[in-house]
């Protein structure tokens, strides 16, 4: 989950106290920390290649279509809607996916031939959204139609026509996770949950999903839509249209 950007409790850096939900962010901030240490904190970082193979040899157990769709789909969502890294929250992510096509003539491990979004015959290996509009149509990144691939500059795409995003509950995670997220948001998280109390203006519809969405979004907006504030262990996701 940590490697595939699926979210979760994350890991806390013992030196600065920042919480890292993904290996991708940790790797980026390791580079930022290193160049800061030698006095080059104004250097911009571009991720020139990142991806996941959809097929591998018998001993390459992580190389599956599901994992590749999860990694690249979650990465696109993260770049287009998630802001910067914990160490550089206002620094847009600029990421190039590897790769557009499977390289069927490439030598080496089986996985090396299978990093592409498309087969050499131009058929899709799997479907993921590559635009903000595509993200707004689904919360299941592995099962939507892909837009024409683009390379780089993703961090500069504004999430939504007015730059606004919202946080909503992911009912697919089940009631237990939703309730845990709701309890945190309304408790320690400090979300304004008064409108979803019995008889209040947003009590109806009285469902766990509706109440969790309200609480998650309150927490998300309260924290200025910062990276990692719409997660709740995978119980929430960002949308670009008003829910």
């Amino acid at each position: 989950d940590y490697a595939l950007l699926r979210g979760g409790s994350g890991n806390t850096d013992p030196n600065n106290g920042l919480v890292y939900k993904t290996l991708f962010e940790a790797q980026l901030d390791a580079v930022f920390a290193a160049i800061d240490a030698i006095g080059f904190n104004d250097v911009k970082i571009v991720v020139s290649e990142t991806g996941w193979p959809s097929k591998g040899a018998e001993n390459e157990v992580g190389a599956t279509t599901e994992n590749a769709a999860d990694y690249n789909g979650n990465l696109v969502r993260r770049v287009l809607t998630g802001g910067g890294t914990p160490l550089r929250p206002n620094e847009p992510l600029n990421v190039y996916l590897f790769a557009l096509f499977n390289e069927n003539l490439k030598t080496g491990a089986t996985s090396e031939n299978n990093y592409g979004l498309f087969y050499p015959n131009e058929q899709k290996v799997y479907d993921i959204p590559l635009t903000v509009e595509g993200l707004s149509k689904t919360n299941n990144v592995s099962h939507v139609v892909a837009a024409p691939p683009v390379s780089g500059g993703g961090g500069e795409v504004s999430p939504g026509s007015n730059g606004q995003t919202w946080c909503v509950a992911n009912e697919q995670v089940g009631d237990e996770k939703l309730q845990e997220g709701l309890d945190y948001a309304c408790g320690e998280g400090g979300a304004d949950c008064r409108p979803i109390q019995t008889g209040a203006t947003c009590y109806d519809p009285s469902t766990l999903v509706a109440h969790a969405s309200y609480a998650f979004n309150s927490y998300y907006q309260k924290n200025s839509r910062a990276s990692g504030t719409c997660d709740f262990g995978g119980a929430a996701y960002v949308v670009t249209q008003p829910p």
Side-chain angles (χ1 to χ4, degrees):
D1 287 349
Y2 189 59
L4 293 171
L5 290 87
R6 287 173 175 162
S9 57
N11 296 307
T12 302
D13 186 304
N15 295 307
N16 58 24
L18 295 174
V19 177
Y20 287 88
K21 299 294 185 72
T22 70
L23 179 61
F24 176 78
E25 293 177 320
Q27 289 177 308
L28 269 177
D29 274 0
V31 176
F32 281 128
I35 62 176
D36 284 352
I38 56 174
F40 291 93
N41 57 10
D42 59 341
V43 174
K44 303 296 182 182
I45 297 297
V46 175
V47 179
S48 59
E49 291 187 3
T50 186
W52 199 282
S54 60
K55 182 180 178 182
E58 185 177 347
N59 64 332
E60 296 179 297
V61 293
T64 67
T65 302
E66 179 184 8
N67 284 349
D70 273 357
Y71 181 80
N72 283 322
N74 290 335
L75 178 66
V76 169
R77 182 180 299 278
R78 176 68 183 78
V79 169
L80 294 182
T81 66
T85 64
L87 193 61
R88 298 277 185 91
N90 298 317
E91 188 80 24
L93 297 177
N94 198 351
V95 179
Y96 287 77
L97 289 180
F98 179 85
L100 181 58
F101 287 102
N102 279 350
E103 298 176 277
N104 59 319
L105 300 181
K106 192 173 185 179
T107 59
T110 302
S111 59
E112 289 291 332
N113 299 75
N114 293 284
Y115 273 84
L117 300 178
F118 293 84
Y119 294 108
N121 66 2
E122 301 182 11
Q123 297 299 307
K124 297 171 190 168
V125 180
Y126 47 83
D127 291 337
I128 59 170
L130 293 171
T131 64
V132 171
E133 291 74 20
L135 291 175
S136 69
K137 296 176 182 177
T138 181
N139 68 315
N140 186 346
V141 297
S142 301
H143 300 286
V144 298
V145 177
V150 295
S151 59
E156 298 172 5
V157 177
S158 175
S161 59
N162 62 354
Q164 174 70 298
T165 53
W166 294 264
C167 185
V168 298
N170 177 11
E171 58 184 329
Q172 296 181 359
V173 301
D175 289 353
E176 184 177 352
K177 267 203 166 184
L178 287 177
Q179 189 64 56
E180 288 177 359
L182 176 61
D183 292 343
Y184 172 82
C186 294
E188 183 182 345
D192 181 8
C193 295
R194 291 171 296 179
I196 55 174
Q197 303 306 307
T198 304
T201 54
C202 294
Y203 178 72
D204 291 321
S206 179
T207 66
L208 179 57
V209 172
H211 287 181
S213 285
Y214 188 96
F216 293 167
N217 189 60
S218 174
Y219 177 82
Y220 180 61
Q221 303 299 336
K222 172 191 172 185
N223 287 280
S224 302
R225 306 191 296 278
S227 172
T229 59
C230 180
D231 182 77
F232 300 95
Y237 62 97
V238 174
V239 296
T240 57
Q241 300 297 323

